Amino acid sequence: MDDTTTPPQTSEDVIDAGRTRIDDLDRRIIALITERVDISAEIQRVRVAAGGARVQLSREMEVIARYREGLGKPGTTVALTLLELCRGRVGPRA
Ligand SMILES: O=C(O)C(=O)C[C@]1(C(=O)O)C=C[C@@H](O)C=C1
């Protein structure tokens, strides 16, 4: 008999390990969203300072299309939520 084989994982083990990975992913997603908000704010700040509009709908349509392509119909909601977070953040973050 080979005593070095690892014991089978219980369902609790699988759930715990999956949740650890999800928690890590969520932290990384939040960091990426925060980075996106900052970059978007910079673009908007420069555009407004140059006399342009804060919002550019044609670009927002491209963003929405990308998320819809990647995630299906719910991708539209994800894109709209991201744009809501990013839109209008011209000043420094609170
Ligand atoms: O790409 C731009 O021109 C931006 O200002 C960024 C951004 C975005 O967050 O994706 C935000 C506001 C605009 O209405 C369009 C897009």
Side-chain angles (χ1 to χ4, degrees):
M1 266 293 266
D2 182 1
D3 291 340
T4 62
T5 50
T6 48
Q9 284 194 311
T10 65
S11 56
E12 214 170 300
D13 291 337
V14 174
I15 289 167
D16 283 350
R19 284 183 176 169
T20 298
R21 291 174 65 196
I22 284 176
D23 290 347
D24 181 53
L25 281 170
D26 283 343
R27 271 190 286 274
R28 287 156 62 191
I29 289 167
I30 290 167
L32 286 171
I33 291 172
T34 303
E35 188 180 342
R36 191 193 195 288
V37 167
D38 289 345
I39 295 169
S40 182
E42 173 72 355
I43 293 171
Q44 291 170 70
R45 189 186 63 72
V46 168
R47 186 166 52 241
V48 168
R54 183 174 299 182
V55 170
Q56 197 164 95
L57 287 178
S58 59
R59 175 61 183 168
E60 294 199 1
M61 291 304 123
E62 289 175 12
V63 172
I64 291 166
R66 178 182 308 137
Y67 278 86
R68 187 177 170 120
E69 254 174 51
L71 301 173
K73 200 171 170 212
T76 302
T77 310
V78 174
L80 288 173
T81 302
L82 280 174
L83 288 166
E84 186 184 341
L85 277 168
C86 292
R87 221 185 273 125
R89 304 290 295 264
V90 169
R93 232 167 345 113

